PDB file of all heavy atoms in Angstrom:
ATOM      1  N   ILE X 405    -109.714 161.897 -50.791  1.00  0.00           N
ATOM      2  CA  ILE X 405    -109.267 160.598 -51.296  1.00  0.00           C
ATOM      3  C   ILE X 405    -108.556 159.838 -50.184  1.00  0.00           C
ATOM      4  O   ILE X 405    -108.815 158.652 -49.971  1.00  0.00           O
ATOM      5  CB  ILE X 405    -108.351 160.784 -52.526  1.00  0.00           C
ATOM      6  CG1 ILE X 405    -109.172 161.296 -53.713  1.00  0.00           C
ATOM      7  CG2 ILE X 405    -107.648 159.482 -52.884  1.00  0.00           C
ATOM      8  CD1 ILE X 405    -108.340 161.714 -54.905  1.00  0.00           C
ATOM      9  N   TRP X 406    -107.665 160.521 -49.461  1.00  0.00           N
ATOM     10  CA  TRP X 406    -106.979 159.884 -48.342  1.00  0.00           C
ATOM     11  C   TRP X 406    -107.973 159.453 -47.270  1.00  0.00           C
ATOM     12  O   TRP X 406    -107.787 158.432 -46.621  1.00  0.00           O
ATOM     13  CB  TRP X 406    -105.955 160.822 -47.728  1.00  0.00           C
ATOM     14  CG  TRP X 406    -104.651 160.885 -48.467  1.00  0.00           C
ATOM     15  CD1 TRP X 406    -104.149 159.962 -49.322  1.00  0.00           C
ATOM     16  CD2 TRP X 406    -103.693 161.932 -48.394  1.00  0.00           C
ATOM     17  NE1 TRP X 406    -102.935 160.377 -49.793  1.00  0.00           N
ATOM     18  CE2 TRP X 406    -102.624 161.570 -49.241  1.00  0.00           C
ATOM     19  CE3 TRP X 406    -103.628 163.130 -47.709  1.00  0.00           C
ATOM     20  CZ2 TRP X 406    -101.505 162.370 -49.396  1.00  0.00           C
ATOM     21  CZ3 TRP X 406    -102.518 163.929 -47.870  1.00  0.00           C
ATOM     22  CH2 TRP X 406    -101.457 163.552 -48.708  1.00  0.00           C
ATOM     23  N   ALA X 407    -109.019 160.241 -47.064  1.00  0.00           N
ATOM     24  CA  ALA X 407    -109.988 159.944 -45.998  1.00  0.00           C
ATOM     25  C   ALA X 407    -110.794 158.681 -46.289  1.00  0.00           C
ATOM     26  O   ALA X 407    -111.418 158.147 -45.379  1.00  0.00           O
ATOM     27  CB  ALA X 407    -110.927 161.128 -45.796  1.00  0.00           C
ATOM     28  N   THR X 408    -110.769 158.191 -47.517  1.00  0.00           N
ATOM     29  CA  THR X 408    -111.459 156.925 -47.785  1.00  0.00           C
ATOM     30  C   THR X 408    -110.720 155.754 -47.159  1.00  0.00           C
ATOM     31  O   THR X 408    -111.288 154.671 -47.023  1.00  0.00           O
ATOM     32  CB  THR X 408    -111.597 156.660 -49.297  1.00  0.00           C
ATOM     33  OG1 THR X 408    -110.297 156.536 -49.873  1.00  0.00           O
ATOM     34  CG2 THR X 408    -112.387 157.754 -49.975  1.00  0.00           C
ATOM     35  N   GLU X 409    -109.461 155.982 -46.751  1.00  0.00           N
ATOM     36  CA  GLU X 409    -108.663 154.878 -46.245  1.00  0.00           C
ATOM     37  C   GLU X 409    -107.987 155.145 -44.902  1.00  0.00           C
ATOM     38  O   GLU X 409    -107.744 154.224 -44.155  1.00  0.00           O
ATOM     39  CB  GLU X 409    -107.590 154.520 -47.283  1.00  0.00           C
ATOM     40  CG  GLU X 409    -106.951 153.195 -47.097  1.00  0.00           C
ATOM     41  CD  GLU X 409    -107.918 152.029 -47.100  1.00  0.00           C
ATOM     42  OE1 GLU X 409    -108.916 152.077 -47.840  1.00  0.00           O
ATOM     43  OE2 GLU X 409    -107.691 151.085 -46.339  1.00  0.00           O
ATOM     44  N   PHE X 410    -107.681 156.393 -44.585  1.00  0.00           N
ATOM     45  CA  PHE X 410    -106.866 156.697 -43.411  1.00  0.00           C
ATOM     46  C   PHE X 410    -107.644 157.500 -42.387  1.00  0.00           C
ATOM     47  O   PHE X 410    -108.276 158.509 -42.719  1.00  0.00           O
ATOM     48  CB  PHE X 410    -105.600 157.454 -43.835  1.00  0.00           C
ATOM     49  CG  PHE X 410    -104.783 156.709 -44.847  1.00  0.00           C
ATOM     50  CD1 PHE X 410    -104.741 157.124 -46.167  1.00  0.00           C
ATOM     51  CD2 PHE X 410    -104.079 155.574 -44.490  1.00  0.00           C
ATOM     52  CE1 PHE X 410    -104.000 156.431 -47.112  1.00  0.00           C
ATOM     53  CE2 PHE X 410    -103.336 154.874 -45.422  1.00  0.00           C
ATOM     54  CZ  PHE X 410    -103.299 155.307 -46.735  1.00  0.00           C
ATOM     55  N   VAL X 411    -107.557 157.094 -41.129  1.00  0.00           N
ATOM     56  CA  VAL X 411    -108.285 157.744 -40.039  1.00  0.00           C
ATOM     57  C   VAL X 411    -107.788 159.170 -39.835  1.00  0.00           C
ATOM     58  O   VAL X 411    -108.586 160.084 -39.626  1.00  0.00           O
ATOM     59  CB  VAL X 411    -108.146 156.925 -38.730  1.00  0.00           C
ATOM     60  CG1 VAL X 411    -108.749 157.666 -37.556  1.00  0.00           C
ATOM     61  CG2 VAL X 411    -108.802 155.571 -38.883  1.00  0.00           C
ATOM     62  N   TRP X 412    -106.473 159.399 -39.915  1.00  0.00           N
ATOM     63  CA  TRP X 412    -105.952 160.741 -39.692  1.00  0.00           C
ATOM     64  C   TRP X 412    -106.528 161.737 -40.701  1.00  0.00           C
ATOM     65  O   TRP X 412    -106.817 162.877 -40.348  1.00  0.00           O
ATOM     66  CB  TRP X 412    -104.420 160.753 -39.717  1.00  0.00           C
ATOM     67  CG  TRP X 412    -103.808 160.314 -41.021  1.00  0.00           C
ATOM     68  CD1 TRP X 412    -103.422 159.061 -41.349  1.00  0.00           C
ATOM     69  CD2 TRP X 412    -103.547 161.130 -42.165  1.00  0.00           C
ATOM     70  NE1 TRP X 412    -102.923 159.042 -42.638  1.00  0.00           N
ATOM     71  CE2 TRP X 412    -102.986 160.301 -43.151  1.00  0.00           C
ATOM     72  CE3 TRP X 412    -103.716 162.475 -42.449  1.00  0.00           C
ATOM     73  CZ2 TRP X 412    -102.607 160.771 -44.398  1.00  0.00           C
ATOM     74  CZ3 TRP X 412    -103.340 162.947 -43.698  1.00  0.00           C
ATOM     75  CH2 TRP X 412    -102.788 162.103 -44.657  1.00  0.00           C
ATOM     76  N   ALA X 413    -106.700 161.309 -41.941  1.00  0.00           N
ATOM     77  CA  ALA X 413    -107.275 162.203 -42.952  1.00  0.00           C
ATOM     78  C   ALA X 413    -108.755 162.444 -42.678  1.00  0.00           C
ATOM     79  O   ALA X 413    -109.270 163.550 -42.903  1.00  0.00           O
ATOM     80  CB  ALA X 413    -107.086 161.613 -44.348  1.00  0.00           C
ATOM     81  N   GLN X 414    -109.457 161.425 -42.178  1.00  0.00           N
ATOM     82  CA  GLN X 414    -110.864 161.609 -41.827  1.00  0.00           C
ATOM     83  C   GLN X 414    -110.999 162.623 -40.698  1.00  0.00           C
ATOM     84  O   GLN X 414    -111.893 163.478 -40.728  1.00  0.00           O
ATOM     85  CB  GLN X 414    -111.484 160.270 -41.426  1.00  0.00           C
ATOM     86  CG  GLN X 414    -111.591 159.293 -42.576  1.00  0.00           C
ATOM     87  CD  GLN X 414    -111.952 157.890 -42.121  1.00  0.00           C
ATOM     88  OE1 GLN X 414    -112.063 157.603 -40.937  1.00  0.00           O
ATOM     89  NE2 GLN X 414    -112.130 157.003 -43.098  1.00  0.00           N
ATOM     90  N   LEU X 415    -110.106 162.542 -39.711  1.00  0.00           N
ATOM     91  CA  LEU X 415    -110.157 163.490 -38.601  1.00  0.00           C
ATOM     92  C   LEU X 415    -109.817 164.907 -39.060  1.00  0.00           C
ATOM     93  O   LEU X 415    -110.443 165.877 -38.624  1.00  0.00           O
ATOM     94  CB  LEU X 415    -109.227 163.033 -37.482  1.00  0.00           C
ATOM     95  CG  LEU X 415    -109.611 161.707 -36.818  1.00  0.00           C
ATOM     96  CD1 LEU X 415    -108.548 161.287 -35.820  1.00  0.00           C
ATOM     97  CD2 LEU X 415    -110.969 161.795 -36.165  1.00  0.00           C
ATOM     98  N   VAL X 416    -108.841 165.042 -39.965  1.00  0.00           N
ATOM     99  CA  VAL X 416    -108.497 166.365 -40.497  1.00  0.00           C
ATOM    100  C   VAL X 416    -109.672 166.938 -41.282  1.00  0.00           C
ATOM    101  O   VAL X 416    -110.004 168.127 -41.152  1.00  0.00           O
ATOM    102  CB  VAL X 416    -107.229 166.286 -41.379  1.00  0.00           C
ATOM    103  CG1 VAL X 416    -107.024 167.562 -42.181  1.00  0.00           C
ATOM    104  CG2 VAL X 416    -106.012 165.996 -40.527  1.00  0.00           C
ATOM    105  N   LEU X 417    -110.335 166.122 -42.077  1.00  0.00           N
ATOM    106  CA  LEU X 417    -111.487 166.607 -42.841  1.00  0.00           C
ATOM    107  C   LEU X 417    -112.638 167.006 -41.927  1.00  0.00           C
ATOM    108  O   LEU X 417    -113.320 168.004 -42.176  1.00  0.00           O
ATOM    109  CB  LEU X 417    -111.949 165.556 -43.851  1.00  0.00           C
ATOM    110  CG  LEU X 417    -111.171 165.518 -45.157  1.00  0.00           C
ATOM    111  CD1 LEU X 417    -111.733 164.443 -46.077  1.00  0.00           C
ATOM    112  CD2 LEU X 417    -111.212 166.850 -45.861  1.00  0.00           C
ATOM    113  N   ARG X 418    -112.876 166.243 -40.869  1.00  0.00           N
ATOM    114  CA  ARG X 418    -113.923 166.624 -39.915  1.00  0.00           C
ATOM    115  C   ARG X 418    -113.610 167.971 -39.277  1.00  0.00           C
ATOM    116  O   ARG X 418    -114.484 168.822 -39.157  1.00  0.00           O
ATOM    117  CB  ARG X 418    -114.067 165.565 -38.814  1.00  0.00           C
ATOM    118  CG  ARG X 418    -114.791 164.341 -39.253  1.00  0.00           C
ATOM    119  CD  ARG X 418    -114.975 163.427 -38.070  1.00  0.00           C
ATOM    120  NE  ARG X 418    -115.626 162.191 -38.488  1.00  0.00           N
ATOM    121  CZ  ARG X 418    -115.902 161.210 -37.677  1.00  0.00           C
ATOM    122  NH1 ARG X 418    -115.591 161.301 -36.393  1.00  0.00           N
ATOM    123  NH2 ARG X 418    -116.488 160.122 -38.121  1.00  0.00           N
ATOM    124  N   TRP X 419    -112.355 168.159 -38.860  1.00  0.00           N
ATOM    125  CA  TRP X 419    -111.950 169.420 -38.260  1.00  0.00           C
ATOM    126  C   TRP X 419    -112.129 170.570 -39.258  1.00  0.00           C
ATOM    127  O   TRP X 419    -112.634 171.637 -38.914  1.00  0.00           O
ATOM    128  CB  TRP X 419    -110.490 169.327 -37.805  1.00  0.00           C
ATOM    129  CG  TRP X 419    -109.972 170.590 -37.210  1.00  0.00           C
ATOM    130  CD1 TRP X 419    -110.118 171.024 -35.928  1.00  0.00           C
ATOM    131  CD2 TRP X 419    -109.225 171.607 -37.895  1.00  0.00           C
ATOM    132  NE1 TRP X 419    -109.507 172.233 -35.778  1.00  0.00           N
ATOM    133  CE2 TRP X 419    -108.945 172.611 -36.959  1.00  0.00           C
ATOM    134  CE3 TRP X 419    -108.759 171.741 -39.195  1.00  0.00           C
ATOM    135  CZ2 TRP X 419    -108.228 173.755 -37.296  1.00  0.00           C
ATOM    136  CZ3 TRP X 419    -108.042 172.880 -39.526  1.00  0.00           C
ATOM    137  CH2 TRP X 419    -107.788 173.863 -38.587  1.00  0.00           C
ATOM    138  N   THR X 420    -111.717 170.341 -40.518  1.00  0.00           N
ATOM    139  CA  THR X 420    -111.834 171.364 -41.548  1.00  0.00           C
ATOM    140  C   THR X 420    -113.293 171.717 -41.805  1.00  0.00           C
ATOM    141  O   THR X 420    -113.646 172.894 -41.909  1.00  0.00           O
ATOM    142  CB  THR X 420    -111.163 170.883 -42.852  1.00  0.00           C
ATOM    143  OG1 THR X 420    -109.815 170.539 -42.570  1.00  0.00           O
ATOM    144  CG2 THR X 420    -111.214 171.951 -43.922  1.00  0.00           C
ATOM    145  N   LYS X 421    -114.158 170.701 -41.906  1.00  0.00           N
ATOM    146  CA  LYS X 421    -115.580 170.970 -42.124  1.00  0.00           C
ATOM    147  C   LYS X 421    -116.165 171.777 -40.979  1.00  0.00           C
ATOM    148  O   LYS X 421    -116.959 172.691 -41.185  1.00  0.00           O
ATOM    149  CB  LYS X 421    -116.350 169.656 -42.284  1.00  0.00           C
ATOM    150  CG  LYS X 421    -116.130 168.961 -43.598  1.00  0.00           C
ATOM    151  CD  LYS X 421    -116.901 167.655 -43.652  1.00  0.00           C
ATOM    152  CE  LYS X 421    -116.600 166.866 -44.889  1.00  0.00           C
ATOM    153  NZ  LYS X 421    -117.301 165.571 -44.916  1.00  0.00           N
ATOM    154  N   ARG X 422    -115.761 171.439 -39.750  1.00  0.00           N
ATOM    155  CA  ARG X 422    -116.266 172.161 -38.589  1.00  0.00           C
ATOM    156  C   ARG X 422    -115.816 173.621 -38.632  1.00  0.00           C
ATOM    157  O   ARG X 422    -116.614 174.540 -38.390  1.00  0.00           O
ATOM    158  CB  ARG X 422    -115.785 171.484 -37.304  1.00  0.00           C
ATOM    159  CG  ARG X 422    -116.395 172.042 -36.046  1.00  0.00           C
ATOM    160  CD  ARG X 422    -116.060 171.232 -34.807  1.00  0.00           C
ATOM    161  NE  ARG X 422    -114.623 171.134 -34.556  1.00  0.00           N
ATOM    162  CZ  ARG X 422    -113.900 170.020 -34.670  1.00  0.00           C
ATOM    163  NH1 ARG X 422    -114.499 168.885 -35.030  1.00  0.00           N
ATOM    164  NH2 ARG X 422    -112.614 170.022 -34.421  1.00  0.00           N
TER     165      ARG X 422
END
Side-chain angles (χ1 to χ4, degrees):
I405 291 171
W406 279 339
T408 63
E409 196 58 35
F410 303 107
V411 173
W412 61 267
Q414 293 169 356
L415 296 174
V416 168
L417 278 180
R418 284 185 183 179
W419 178 83
T420 304
K421 286 179 186 177
R422 188 172 59 249

